[in-house]
Every structure is written in C-alpha cells, then in structure tokens.
Amino acid sequence: MKLLVSACLLGACCRYDGASREHPLAKKLAERYPLIPVCPEQLGGLPTPRPPAERRGERVVTQSGDDVTERYRRGAEETLRLCRMLDCEAAVLKERSPSCGAGTVYDGTFSGVLASGDGVTAALLRDGGIPVYGESQIEKLLK
C-alpha cells in the first residue's frame, strides 16, 4: 500500500513558519510503506514561510483577514490528483492544519482553540474515497 504523507511529517521545512514537524515514527512508516510526500499549501501556490491561516467555516483566512481559500482548494485538488495518479491508498496528514487537519482544526479565531472538522485537503481526499489518518494514528498503520 502506497501512502500520501504530509511532507512536514517527513522532515521537509514546508510548514507555514518554514519549519518541519518530523514525526518520530516517520522512518518506521517509510520502512513499511512507499511514501509520497506532499505539501498541499505549496501545491496551491502559497509561499514558505507564509502567514498563519485557519478555517472559518468553508473559508481559510490568514490572521490579518486575507482570504486564501482558493489557494487551499487548488492545493487540495492537486494533492488528490497526485494521490490518484500515483495509486496511493491512504493519506497520513498533519493534524490541526487548515489544509491537512483530519478530524480537528483550529477554529479560525487564532486563539489556539480546536474545533471538529477537516482541513481542505483532508476533506477532499475523504470525499474522494481516500482514507485519511492524522499523525497521531501512525501507530495503527504500523501494527
């Protein structure tokens, strides 16, 4: 089974702040599965680093109020296209991200409050029939 994986979890410095969030189990995941790294935000044309953004309903806005929804949608569409083209059967995504968040995202107030919901990419992948796992679920894939 091939997995699509948020590139920041594999150590790529592509997060909004230019950092990575390499997951301690990423190497074990790579030993078990072929991994396809992606950063939907970069695929959507956003720079790195970039202003922090959060979901507000169906929109994605930066802390200063700029609406960046279309770039997030474009990145999600490109991610789904790559997922299908490369025959990935599931995705492991960065939790809480407005793009990749699976099940929980920041609530759009930039106050650190979490809300139920998916990021733009996670939602599009799920709608496309791709199982989506957050990084806290990597252990399930290693059993």
Side-chain angles (χ1 to χ4, degrees), residues 3-4 7 17 29 31 37 41 43-44 46 48 67 69 76 83-84 95 103 108 116 118 128 136 138:
L3 297 176
L4 191 79
D17 57 3
L29 200 60
E31 290 169 358
E41 294 170 20
L43 288 171
L46 292 164
T48 301
D67 187 325
T69 306
C83 187
R84 288 182 172 154
E95 294 172 346
S116 293
D118 286 332
S136 65
I138 288 176

Side-chain angles (χ1 to χ4, degrees), residues 39-109:
C39 177
E41 294 170 20
Q42 288 181 337
L43 288 171
L46 292 164
T48 301
R50 56 191 162 271
E54 293 186 2
R55 298 264 340 230
R56 283 193 190 149
E58 293 300 311
R59 311 305 297 169
V60 181
V61 296
T62 66
Q63 213 165 6
S64 64
D66 293 331
D67 187 325
V68 290
T69 306
E70 288 310 311
R71 289 186 178 188
Y72 276 76
R73 284 190 185 141
R74 186 180 325 135
E77 290 165 1
E78 284 300 304
T79 299
L80 177 59
R81 187 181 68 77
L82 288 171
C83 187
R84 288 182 172 154
M85 180 177 63
L86 298 170
D87 296 321
C88 296
E89 295 178 45
V92 178
L93 302 177
K94 178 73 185 102
E95 294 172 346
R96 297 175 295 280
S97 158
S99 217
C100 296
T104 307
V105 294
Y106 289 106
D107 73 352
T109 63

